[in-house]
């Protein structure tokens, strides 16, 4: 739905990521969770990244941001605004032009009040006001800002995490599962904000399991399986029985939703164990 | 054997009541859905029912008796965030066998690969870790399981498979299950009855 002409913002090509592990003593081995990942995001476009758990969706996000653990071995090319995204550039851009909403609520500082965490990186003079505004927008009470992360529920923490990503001058938003555990009203507010990012010309990578929500706002959907991109389809192809989807895996993923034929996956196994 | 909570009430900060006058009960083999706004106290209620926190008001009964302290808890809780329920400094094998030794059949039912057992928690994805938490809760002495947003981290195919295996085992062992979720369509698929918390 990008009104502007398609200008690629982020191009990930043949990305592969491995981890070297120590087995015993100095014996090493390398595991390769991501083998052949390809994703392209244009300016003003929302690309949903879906796929099995453990297929490497979060790793893709971490690779683009340059926050993989130190034993990771990365190859392939990541191009941002037509230029290779080097580790140094990643450091300069992340938290500024590239904003990240992490998957785990563990990423919040457990010893810092959540209001103060949202104010990080905002203009000091208006930070407090801005934070209160964001809280109101995501259906959080202003008194919630004085609480510590452990005092908030899972869904509330998600919304706090989301509020930390809303900054001026953001060009690329990488949202890793921003929606689980959030009730429908707050969810639609978050989707609206992601849509707004795109309207303002930013690219959005929305990593999610929540296909129904993602399809409401996404332009295209990339399907990841076992560390490789198996399909990139227009979001409109996800409807009915999925006859417009290209691969068998994507069709199964679509049909397994509780809204569709959840039961198809139910096999009559003997579970007397 | 029923699990019931009577007039449960709880707050974390004085007089900021999260729960008030909640009465809930579940029979063996029943699948009860629990839905409500985020922040309305679903997880707090789950923690109270599982005996992790004592409610400010009200009581929990198992078969009209109070829960015994310092023994195996017949009510097990599966958390929304597996990374918060697993010791990051234990290998997955130790996490898995902490309460009992699960059979290969159970590991297969949840598609837990043998190679995962030697890994550290950070080396597995959220969905992979969650399977360990599920198997860990299926101790032979477990009578009730509370699944707090158990599969929100999982893709649709895995979600359907896991519920299939999980409910299959629970039905055969007559375990009562409380399914906590926001997703109405999921609750409608799984539950015999749905309890709406809050307004």
């Amino acid at each position: 739905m990008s009104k502007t002409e398609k200008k690629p913002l982020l191009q990930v090509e043949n990305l592969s990521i491995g981890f070297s592990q120590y087995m015993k003593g100095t014996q090493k081995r390398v595991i390769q969770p991501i083998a052949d990942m390809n994703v392209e995001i244009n300016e003003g476009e929302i690309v949903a990244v879906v796929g099995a758990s453990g297929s490497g969706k979060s790793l893709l996000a971490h690779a683009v941001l340059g926050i993989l653990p130190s034993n990771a071995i990365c190859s392939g090319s990541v191009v941002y605004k037509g230029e290779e995204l080097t580790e140094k550039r990643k450091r300069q851009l992340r938290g500024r032009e590239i904003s990240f909403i992490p998957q785990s609520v563990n990423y919040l500082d457990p010893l810092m009040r959540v209001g103060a965490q949202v104010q990080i990186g905002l203009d000091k003079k208006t930070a407090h006001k801005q934070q209160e505004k964001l809280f109101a927008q995501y259906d959080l009470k202003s008194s919630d800002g004085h609480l510590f992360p452990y005092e908030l529920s899972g869904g509330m923490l998600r919304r706090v995490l989301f509020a930390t990503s809303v900054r001026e001058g953001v060009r690329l938003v990488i949202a890793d599962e921003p929606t689980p555990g959030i009730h429908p009203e707050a969810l639609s507010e978050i989707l609206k904000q992601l849509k707004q990012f795109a309207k303002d010309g930013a690219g959005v990578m929305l990593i999610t399991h929540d296909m129904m929500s993602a399809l409401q706002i996404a332009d295209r959907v990339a399907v990841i399986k076992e560390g490789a991109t198996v399909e990139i389809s227009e979001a409109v192809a996800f409807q009915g029985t999925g006859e417009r989807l290209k691969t068998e895996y994507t069709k199964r993923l679509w049909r397994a939703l509780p809204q569709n034929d959840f039961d198809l996956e139910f096999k009559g196994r003997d579970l007397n164990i | 054997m029923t699990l019931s909570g009577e007039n449960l009430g709880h707050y974390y900060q004085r007089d900021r009541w999260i729960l008030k006058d909640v009465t809930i009960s579940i029979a063996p083999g029943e699948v009860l859905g629990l839905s409500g706004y985020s922040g309305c106290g679903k997880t707090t209620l789950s923690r109270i029912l599982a005996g992790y926190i004592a409610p400010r008001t009200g009581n929990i009964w198992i078969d009209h008796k109070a829960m015994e302290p310092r023994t195996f808890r017949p009510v097990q809780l599966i958390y929304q965030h597996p990374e918060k329920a697993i010791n990051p400094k234990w290998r997955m094998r130790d996490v898995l066998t902490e309460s009992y030794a699960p059979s290969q059949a159970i590991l297969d039912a949840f598609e837990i690969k043998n190679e995962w057992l030697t890994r550290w928690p950070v080396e597995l994805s959220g969905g992979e870790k969650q399977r360990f938490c599920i198997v860990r809760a299926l101790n032979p002495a477990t009578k009730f399981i509370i699944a707090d947003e158990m599969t929100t981290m999982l893709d649709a195919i895995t979600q359907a498979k896991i519920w299939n295996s999980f409910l299959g085992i629970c039905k055969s062992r007559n375990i009562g299950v409380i399914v906590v979720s926001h997703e109405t369509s999921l609750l409608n698929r799984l539950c015999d009855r749905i309890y709406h918390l809050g307004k």
Side-chain angles (χ1 to χ4, degrees):
Chain A
M1 264 180 262
S2 46
K3 281 159 276 159
T4 48
E5 89 268 31
K6 280 193 173 181
K7 229 166 122 196
L9 182 69
L10 180 80
Q11 293 154 290
V12 178
E13 269 171 41
N14 299 322
L15 179 74
S16 75
I17 301 171
F19 289 102
S20 74
Q21 287 180 319
Y22 282 101
M23 302 281 293
K24 258 184 193 157
T26 56
Q27 268 181 47
K28 260 189 177 183
R29 68 163 176 188
V30 174
I31 53 173
Q32 191 85 38
I34 291 194
D36 179 22
M37 194 86 99
N38 296 287
V39 179
E40 191 184 292
I41 300 175
N42 297 318
E43 286 179 2
E45 187 186 41
I46 301 178
V47 176
V49 177
V50 302
S53 108
S55 62
K57 302 187 297 296
S58 295
L59 288 177
L60 166 69
H62 290 195
V64 173
L65 288 153
I67 54 170
L68 289 168
S70 55
N71 65 335
I73 307 153
C74 223
S75 68
S77 93
V78 179
V79 175
Y80 176 73
K81 284 187 176 169
E83 249 179 275
E84 186 71 27
L85 198 52
T86 57
E87 291 303 315
K88 192 175 154 216
R89 242 180 116 214
K90 286 176 190 171
R91 257 200 310 280
Q92 289 166 347
L93 292 173
R94 71 180 174 227
R96 296 180 182 87
E97 272 190 35
I98 302 180
S99 130
F100 179 48
I101 303 153
Q103 177 180 31
S104 171
V105 291
N106 272 359
Y107 282 71
L108 288 168
D109 185 337
L111 299 177
M112 194 173 177
R113 295 181 196 278
V114 292
Q117 301 199 43
V118 173
Q119 289 173 27
I120 295 172
L122 290 171
D123 183 4
K124 286 239 164 52
K125 281 173 229 144
T126 58
H128 187 71
K129 232 187 212 154
Q130 185 76 16
Q131 175 245 318
E132 299 245 295
K133 207 181 107 205
L134 288 169
F135 268 40
Q137 200 174 343
Y138 300 125
D139 210 0
L140 293 161
K141 290 199 280 293
S142 95
S143 59
D144 291 338
H146 300 289
L147 300 177
F148 288 100
Y150 76 93
E151 294 175 301
L152 295 178
S153 81
M156 292 159 99
L157 289 174
R158 288 275 168 216
R159 286 178 267 154
V160 170
L161 270 179
F162 193 83
T164 63
S165 75
V166 183
R167 297 287 178 269
E168 295 254 316
V170 167
R171 304 302 306 152
L172 175 64
V173 180
I174 298 179
D176 193 356
E177 298 267 5
T179 56
I182 297 177
H183 58 82
E185 284 78 6
L187 175 67
S188 76
E189 198 54 48
I190 282 190
L191 296 179
K192 221 158 78 193
Q193 179 64 51
L194 287 171
K195 190 89 210 172
Q196 189 59 44
F197 279 131
K199 273 199 191 127
D200 297 341
V204 178
M205 183 195 287
L206 173 59
I207 298 172
T208 188
H209 290 306
D210 185 358
M211 289 228 271
M212 296 317 278
S213 303
L215 290 173
Q216 287 175 31
I217 56 164
D219 301 304
R220 287 186 300 150
V221 179
V223 182
I224 310 289
K225 187 191 178 202
E226 287 161 15
T229 313
V230 292
E231 174 168 350
I232 297 176
S233 278
E234 298 291 321
V236 289
F238 288 82
Q239 52 170 256
T241 54
E243 63 275 358
R244 286 167 64 193
L245 298 169
K246 292 170 217 153
T247 58
E248 198 47 43
Y249 177 74
T250 313
K251 285 181 190 164
R252 273 183 63 208
L253 196 63
W254 170 242
R255 285 200 306 254
L257 288 175
Q259 290 85 346
N260 299 335
D261 304 323
F262 192 58
D263 285 335
L264 271 189
E265 295 291 325
F266 273 48
K267 299 174 214 102
R269 259 191 269 172
D270 182 15
L271 289 161
N272 218 340
I273 41 179
Chain B
M1 191 184 245
T2 43
L3 169 67
S4 56
E6 270 176 22
N7 304 320
L8 299 173
H10 196 73
Y11 57 76
Y12 291 101
Q13 281 173 8
R14 184 161 295 275
D15 295 331
R16 277 186 61 169
W17 290 89
I18 291 172
L19 296 173
K20 229 171 178 180
D21 291 327
V22 175
T23 297
I24 189 170
S25 82
I26 175 170
E30 191 184 356
V31 182
L32 171 67
L34 185 62
S35 78
Y37 277 77
S38 95
C40 78
K42 297 191 297 298
T43 299
T44 302
L45 180 60
S46 305
R47 288 169 61 86
I48 289 173
L49 289 173
Y52 281 92
I53 42 178
R56 305 276 173 181
T57 66
N59 294 297
I60 307 288
W61 309 107
I62 290 189
D63 231 6
H64 312 292
K65 287 194 289 277
M67 263 198 262
E68 281 175 51
R70 284 184 289 280
T71 53
F72 180 79
R73 294 267 176 190
V75 185
Q76 290 286 312
L77 177 59
I78 297 171
Y79 279 90
Q80 184 175 355
H81 307 294
E83 67 274 18
K84 284 179 176 277
I86 287 177
N87 189 334
K89 296 189 171 180
W90 283 13
R91 284 194 195 264
M92 293 315 291
R93 184 187 302 283
D94 302 321
V95 171
L96 189 65
T97 53
E98 188 185 3
S99 99
Y100 75 113
S103 68
Q104 190 60 43
I106 293 189
L107 300 189
D108 291 343
F110 291 101
E111 295 177 21
I112 291 177
K113 293 184 193 144
N114 254 320
E115 59 184 84
W116 295 351
L117 298 181
T118 53
R119 293 204 199 159
W120 300 103
V122 286
E123 294 170 337
L124 292 178
S125 75
E128 287 163 356
K129 277 190 279 244
Q130 189 64 295
R131 295 170 213 211
F132 284 84
C133 294
I134 297 170
V135 171
R136 190 168 63 165
L138 285 168
N139 185 300
T142 301
K143 298 286 181 259
F144 294 95
I145 294 183
I146 303 170
D148 186 1
E149 300 275 3
M150 184 170 86
T151 52
T152 19
M153 322 267 300
L154 303 175
D155 63 278
I157 296 176
T158 321
Q159 167 170 273
K161 274 188 191 160
I162 283 193
W163 279 112
N164 175 32
S165 308
F166 180 69
L167 290 182
I169 293 172
C170 291
K171 277 262 141 60
S172 75
R173 295 189 191 171
N174 213 19
I175 293 174
V177 181
I178 300 181
V179 184
V180 183
S181 178
H182 282 104
E183 239 191 284
T184 324
S185 48
L186 181 70
L187 291 178
N188 290 340
R189 281 277 183 189
L190 301 173
C191 304
D192 306 325
R193 182 160 68 91
I194 297 178
Y195 184 98
H196 293 279
L197 197 60
K199 307 118 233 178

